[in-house]
Amino acid sequence: MRISLVIIGLMAVFMAPNFFRASWDGAAEAEVSEQASEPRLVAALFRSSWCSACRVIEPRIDDVREEYEAAAIDWVKFDFTLGRRGGLREMAETEGLLPIYDEAAGSTGFMLLIDRDTNQVFEMITMDYGRDQIREALDRWLVVVERLEAEGA
């Protein structure tokens, strides 16, 4: 009986992040429909419910993301959890990220900061990044994108 309770408790700990991260799903769908005014900087999260690195990085990204809601960043989530994979390639195509998606599809546990116009990956954010390092990366690439847009590149 005790072993069963321990197993159920462990399952709850490891599965809970998947239920609390649902806010990204609706945001990604809403952002796809607003493609005309999309920001140039894209933060694309590659995740899955079975990914242990995702359980480390997602809470950090979610905390930081709240501070950047007004920033010119398009937040996209590619969820490779079984049963949720349908339509991911189409979403990548709609977002203009198909080459990057095709290269990284199936890999999880990281977020890519991407220039939408050139499909250049600026930086890969992994579970090694703390909240402050994620903020620094976002700030750094927001400045770069502003300069690129000002130069008309």
Side-chain angles (χ1 to χ4, degrees), residues 1-138:
M1 180 70 173
R2 287 185 185 175
I3 293 175
S4 298
L5 291 175
V6 170
I7 291 172
I8 290 171
L10 288 173
M11 287 176 56
V13 168
F14 286 109
M15 296 301 288
N18 298 320
F19 298 110
F20 295 115
R21 306 287 173 238
S23 63
W24 275 59
D25 293 332
E29 290 170 13
E31 289 170 13
V32 168
S33 65
E34 299 172 3
Q35 187 172 6
S37 61
E38 289 178 328
R40 185 168 176 171
L41 182 62
V42 179
L45 178 66
F46 289 75
R47 61 100 45 214
S48 181
S49 64
W50 47 262
C51 171
S52 58
C54 297
R55 292 188 187 112
V56 174
I57 192 172
E58 279 188 88
R60 295 174 188 172
I61 291 171
D62 288 344
D63 290 347
V64 171
R65 182 178 180 204
E66 292 174 8
E67 300 168 27
Y68 288 86
E69 286 299 323
I73 302 173
D74 188 9
W75 300 88
V76 178
K77 178 171 78 169
F78 295 106
D79 189 347
F80 291 94
T81 301
L82 294 175
R84 295 188 179 183
R85 295 178 185 189
L88 291 182
R89 192 164 199 283
E90 291 79 17
M91 184 175 82
E93 186 172 13
T94 302
E95 290 286 342
L97 304 173
L98 193 55
I100 292 170
Y101 173 83
D102 285 342
E103 186 176 321
S107 301
T108 61
F110 60 91
M111 181 172 72
L112 299 177
L113 299 179
I114 306 163
D115 180 347
R116 179 187 310 279
D117 291 355
T118 63
N119 274 331
Q120 176 185 358
V121 175
F122 290 135
E123 191 161 346
M124 178 187 279
I125 297 185
T126 65
M127 67 183 224
D128 295 332
Y129 282 61
R131 287 169 178 80
D132 291 335
Q133 292 169 310
I134 295 170
R135 283 185 198 95
E136 290 169 8
L138 290 169

